[in-house]
């Protein structure tokens, strides 16, 4: 239970770090391609997964 709580907190922190990470885009055939939507999607998936780990650790108490 302590291990899943720690894993949940680390996953949430990783999601926040990815959300705050500034990744410049690049110029492709269609113009400038920004990677902000990818960062938002990846960080939201990580944060939701971390919340599930935290809920699982509270449930097992």
């Amino acid at each position: 239970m302590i291990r899943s709580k720690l894993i949940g907190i680390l996953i949430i922190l990783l999601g926040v770090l990815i959300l705050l990470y500034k990744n410049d885009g690049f110029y492709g055939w269609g113009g400038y391609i920004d990677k902000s939507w990818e960062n938002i999607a990846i960080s939201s998936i990580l944060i939701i997964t971390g919340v599930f780990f935290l809920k699982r650790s509270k449930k097992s108490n």
Side-chain angles (χ1 to χ4, degrees):
M1 83 187 125
I2 293 174
R3 182 177 286 170
S4 64
K5 184 178 179 181
L6 180 65
I7 291 172
I9 291 172
L10 288 175
I11 289 174
I12 290 173
L13 289 175
L14 183 66
V16 170
L17 180 68
I18 289 175
L19 185 63
L20 297 176
Y21 179 68
K22 173 81 170 130
N23 193 2
D24 293 332
F26 57 91
Y27 285 97
W29 292 101
Y32 187 73
I33 299 172
D34 191 13
K35 294 185 178 185
S36 63
W37 287 107
E38 294 173 10
N39 287 348
I40 291 171
I42 291 169
S43 65
S44 63
I45 290 170
L46 286 172
I47 290 171
I48 290 170
T49 306
V51 169
F52 283 138
F53 269 99
L54 286 177
K55 287 194 182 263
R56 190 177 86 175
S57 70
K58 288 182 182 178
K59 194 177 214 181
S60 64
N61 283 338

